[in-house]
Amino acid sequence: MTPPPPPPATVILSPHFDDAVLSLAGLIPALDSPVTVVTVYGGAPCPGQEVSWWDTTCGFSSGGEAHLARVAEDTRACALLGAERVVLGHPDGPYGDGGPLHEIDTYLADLAPGTRLLIPLGTNQADHAKVRDRALRVLGELGRPLPLVYADLPYTGHLKEWGSADTDAALAVNEDFGRAYQDIASRYRTRTVH
C-alpha cells in the first residue's frame, strides 16, 4: 500500500486555473512544502451551455473544450512548480450559478492546524473577491489565523507603480486598482511583504 501524501504545509486558493501560477510562480518553489494549489472555479460547465465570449475569443468551440485545455495546462504548470493540485467543482463565472462557494468551507475546515494559507487580493475581478471574502468569513467562523493575501496578477499589475518601492502607497490611494487593497487594509491590520 502507498502511504497517503503528507498534509499540505501551504495552501494557495486560486480562483481560476491560472491565477496562482500567474501570480506566484516565482514564490511557490520557496514556500513550505508540500504546496497545494486549490482551484475554486474548477468545475466543468454543464453540457450544452452556450460558449462564453472569452472562450470563443480564445479559440474554443465549447466551454467543455476550454475546460479540458485549462485542466491540462494547470496540471502541467503545477507539476513544473512542484505543487499538488485540488480542483473544486464550482464552474467558472459564465457557466456557474452564482451561488455560494460551499466547497471552500469544507476544504478549509479540514486543513491541519498550522497550514499556511494564501488567498487572492481580489483586484478588479469579482470571482477573486468572492473567493477572498468567503475564505475570510470561513476562517473567522473557525477561529483560524488570518491568511496571507497575494496580489493577483495581471489585475494588480496594471498599477503603473507595480513592482516599485511605491507599490503599497500607490495601492492605498489608487481608485482604479487599489480598491481591494484599501478594503483589506480598512478591515484588518496588515503588513506588506515583498
Side-chain angles (χ1 to χ4, degrees):
M1 290 188 59
T2 305
T10 304
V11 169
I12 303 166
L13 290 185
S14 182
H16 306 103
F17 285 116
D18 56 356
D19 295 316
V21 171
L22 284 174
S23 302
L24 299 169
L27 179 64
I28 289 173
L31 293 170
D32 294 336
S33 60
V35 175
T36 298
V37 173
V38 178
T39 302
V40 177
Y41 289 100
C46 292
Q49 276 187 298
E50 186 175 324
V51 64
S52 74
W53 169 86
W54 179 254
D55 287 344
T56 300
T57 301
C58 292
F60 297 109
S61 61
S62 71
E65 179 187 16
H67 180 259
L68 289 174
R70 290 186 179 117
V71 167
E73 179 182 64
D74 187 58
T75 301
R76 175 126 171 85
C78 286
L80 287 170
L81 293 170
E84 298 296 319
R85 54 189 291 279
V86 170
V87 178
L88 302 183
H90 304 286
D92 193 2
Y95 304 111
D97 61 7
L101 303 174
H102 293 299
E103 291 186 42
I104 291 178
D105 303 23
T106 304
Y107 189 85
L108 293 178
D110 291 340
L111 285 181
T115 302
R116 173 184 281 172
L117 179 66
L118 286 79
I119 65 171
L121 179 58
T123 301
N124 295 7
Q125 217 294 340
D127 289 344
H128 293 216
K130 192 171 180 180
V131 168
R132 176 201 66 209
D133 291 342
R134 185 69 179 207
L136 288 170
R137 189 186 69 113
V138 170
L139 293 170
E141 290 172 357
L142 294 170
R144 296 280 178 91
L146 290 173
L148 299 175
V149 178
Y150 65 89
D152 32 11
L153 299 176
Y155 308 103
T156 309
H158 289 296
L159 182 75
K160 70 178 181 151
E161 295 87 356
W162 179 253
S164 74
D166 298 327
T167 299
D168 307 338
L171 283 172
V173 297
N174 188 283
E175 286 298 314
D176 295 320
F177 303 107
R179 290 186 182 163
Y181 178 84
Q182 295 157 21
D183 176 48
I184 289 292
S186 73
R187 295 190 288 152
Y188 301 95
R189 214 174 32 229
T190 61
R191 179 175 58 93
T192 304
V193 178
H194 296 276

